Amino acid sequence: MLATALGAVLERHLDVATPAQLGLWALRGLEVLEPTLQSELQSGTLLLSAPDRLLSARPMPARPAQGPPEAAAQPLAVALSGMFDAAWRASPAIRRAGTERMLRSAFEELFNHLDPYSRYMTPEEAMAARARRIGQTGLGLRLAAGRGRAVVIATLRPGSPAAEAGLRVGDRVLEADGVALSAQDLVTAAALLEGPAGTEVALRIERGKRRFTVLLLRSAVPPETLHAQRREDILWLQLDGFSNATDVRLTEALLEAFRGTAPRGVVLDLRGNRGGLLGQAVAVATAFLGEGVVALTGGRHPDAARSYVSAGPDLARGVPLVVLVDGRTASAAEIVAAALSDRGRGVVVGSATTGKGLIQAVVPLPNRGELLVTWSRVLAPRGWPIQGLGVLPAVCTSLGAEATAAALARLRQGDPPMARTLARLRAARAPVPGSEVTALRNTCPPAEGRPADLAVARTLIEQADAYATALAR
């Protein structure tokens, strides 16, 4: 298992790491479980010590000068296995933690030195993730971070198992099947809720001062990610996430809306959308675009270089399009917003987005766990990286009502307020210095969506000159 996992990191990860570095970082994960252990690298030899003695010393394999880098994975795995065994025998704390916790801690520390998204999943977590990827389950709720480390219910789908059980938006979810949830790891929290259709999950809920447990039956119904409504002759499309059927639902909604009298504009609301399937993001953007690039990806591995293109037609027939984003808009949702902005098809309104523009490869492991390895970065059509920078709006609403009003006034006068910032953003190339990332994002700090976003969208659609100025690239 270690050989497979370490080989994937050596071969695919965006950043180059030596076998010695991987070995040292993995051993330091054991120090989290047993602080009395000490690991160090001396002259190419990895040393593991207890307070009173040396537990193990193993020479680290070199990264091969020729041939595949993953060739060093097998000898590295053998060396680490021996050192893990020495730590297991010497430490009651590690034995109490168990094998899976030991592996998790080792990989957590290893990936702490590489990127925030690569991670190891236990066999149980991997099974739940596989079920989620093929759309087997649904409880009808979405989790978000609350105060402190609290995990709260952010949205509920009407008629879903969660809604039928009486859960409410804002309820704090303390545990899933007895496992405590933390906002510091929402990915794991969400994974614990997933599983095969027809199976049950017990949630421990806190509402005010009351605590109770509900038993939910996972449903095979795909989650509804798109909500369409026509108001004031504007088509409002709220997209909560990306599932296997999102592009189909969007196509249906657009064809229905434009079957008769076309709406005067479309608002695509991506606020709070944490992302999902890359292919679906490309399909959603394609629904509004003609032929051209939607996104590019690239990395150290040759297979990471890919180009995703749209072929049209624009199902919204070129009517004004406003894309709403906020500080919680992430990943696939950012790809959509970046494509529509870069291609001059839509005006982005809101605040700086999350800035998650890295893609993970899923590596199956012999223990039926999985390793997510970051192996490529996403680039917008104009070549700037989404990672770290995020998408910046043409009209910023996170600086307050007065600043928003001033921005709209400048647009009416033919002066795009974010033009210089957007030009700097589109000129950025990876890796972007941290100082430049901070400077760009500070022009419109990330914030949660607010009612002003909707008002600005309506104004832009109703005032053609302001819309055209904001759209100008």
Side-chain angles (χ1 to χ4, degrees):
M1 192 279 287
L2 282 175
T4 301
L6 295 169
V9 176
L10 288 168
E11 176 191 18
R12 297 191 180 192
H13 197 276
L14 269 178
D15 298 325
V16 177
T18 66
Q21 287 173 318
L22 297 184
L24 181 61
W25 296 336
L27 279 188
R28 286 181 175 166
L30 302 188
E31 295 177 23
V32 175
L33 302 177
E34 177 54 271
T36 64
L37 295 178
Q38 183 176 2
S39 54
E40 56 183 321
L41 186 65
Q42 292 185 1
S43 302
T45 297
L46 197 56
L47 307 175
L48 179 66
S49 303
D52 57 345
R53 66 191 188 281
L54 177 68
L55 296 178
S56 183
R58 299 291 178 113
M60 289 292 98
R63 190 181 182 90
Q66 296 181 341
E70 65 272 22
Q74 183 65 34
L76 175 59
V78 171
L80 279 180
S81 295
M83 302 187 87
F84 283 2
D85 182 62
W88 180 278
R89 287 184 280 107
S91 170
I94 289 180
R95 293 196 297 273
R96 285 194 298 271
T99 304
E100 283 299 331
R101 184 68 189 92
M102 181 176 66
L103 287 172
R104 182 195 290 278
S105 187
F107 281 114
E108 283 177 353
E109 185 63 25
L110 186 155
F111 287 130
N112 279 344
H113 290 79
L114 292 175
D115 76 277
Y117 304 116
S118 295
R119 68 189 187 95
Y120 167 73
M121 289 194 292
T122 66
E124 293 75 19
E125 292 168 347
M127 181 178 67
R130 287 190 290 269
R132 183 167 64 253
R133 287 196 295 270
I134 62 177
Q136 282 186 312
T137 41
L139 298 176
L141 59 83
R142 182 172 62 82
L143 300 178
R147 292 183 179 179
R149 297 186 178 184
V151 176
V152 299
I153 297 177
T155 61
L156 281 171
R157 189 175 76 246
S160 66
E164 293 294 324
L167 297 184
R168 304 174 187 173
V169 171
D171 283 347
R172 180 176 178 181
V173 185
L174 304 175
E175 299 176 354
D177 285 337
V179 179
L181 306 187
S182 171
Q184 291 184 322
D185 192 355
L186 281 178
V187 173
T188 298
L192 289 171
L193 270 58
E194 300 291 342
T199 60
E200 295 179 329
V201 59
L203 302 184
R204 186 67 175 166
I205 304 296
E206 181 177 82
R207 181 183 298 162
K209 295 182 179 180
R210 179 184 169 214
R211 293 189 176 189
F212 56 95
T213 299
V214 295
L215 193 63
L216 302 181
L217 182 67
R218 296 181 175 100
S219 167
V221 179
E224 182 59 74
T225 56
L226 182 73
H227 311 279
Q229 187 178 20
R230 189 161 175 168
R231 311 193 301 267
E232 301 169 351
D233 208 22
I234 296 174
L235 178 62
W236 300 83
L237 299 171
Q238 180 181 342
L239 192 57
D240 298 330
F242 296 85
S243 71
N244 290 328
T246 298
D247 59 337
V248 175
R249 287 284 294 112
L250 177 64
T251 297
E252 292 172 348
L254 289 172
L255 291 177
E256 176 64 26
F258 285 84
R259 185 165 286 122
T261 303
R264 61 190 302 182
V266 176
V267 176
L268 180 62
D269 191 348
L270 300 176
R271 295 175 301 173
N273 186 320
R274 304 302 294 171
L277 303 172
L278 173 60
Q280 284 292 318
V282 174
V284 166
T286 296
F288 298 99
L289 295 170
E291 184 177 351
V293 174
V294 174
L296 304 165
T297 63
R300 187 165 57 88
H301 194 282
D303 291 344
R306 299 181 183 180
S307 179
Y308 298 86
V309 299
S310 59
D314 175 4
L315 300 180
R317 301 182 187 176
V319 304
L321 171 65
V322 176
V323 183
L324 303 183
V325 300
D326 67 3
R328 300 170 300 154
T329 304
S331 189
E334 292 177 287
I335 293 173
V336 173
L340 297 176
S341 176
D342 264 19
R343 295 277 299 275
R345 179 59 186 93
V347 174
V348 178
V349 171
S351 76
T353 60
T354 300
K356 183 186 182 303
L358 299 178
I359 297 177
Q360 289 72 49
V362 180
V363 181
L365 300 176
N367 68 343
R368 298 194 61 78
E370 288 180 348
L371 200 71
L372 302 186
V373 179
T374 295
W375 78 309
S376 64
R377 61 171 54 90
V378 181
L379 307 178
R382 294 197 179 191
W384 53 273
I386 291 174
Q387 177 62 25
L389 288 169
V391 179
L392 297 178
V395 183
C396 178
T397 62
S398 66
L399 296 174
E402 290 186 10
T404 300
L408 287 174
R410 288 179 62 179
L411 285 174
R412 296 186 188 100
Q413 296 166 5
D415 178 19
M418 292 284 288
R420 291 184 179 180
T421 298
L422 292 177
R424 282 174 60 185
L425 173 77
R426 289 164 177 161
R429 293 296 181 267
V432 184
S435 58
E436 179 69 354
V437 171
T438 300
L440 286 170
R441 290 177 64 80
N442 282 348
T443 61
C444 186
E448 288 198 17
R450 52 197 66 195
D453 302 339
L454 305 178
V456 170
R458 186 180 299 108
T459 298
L460 290 172
I461 290 174
E462 292 174 348
Q463 299 181 11
D465 290 345
Y467 178 84
T469 300
L471 194 65
R473 295 184 288 170

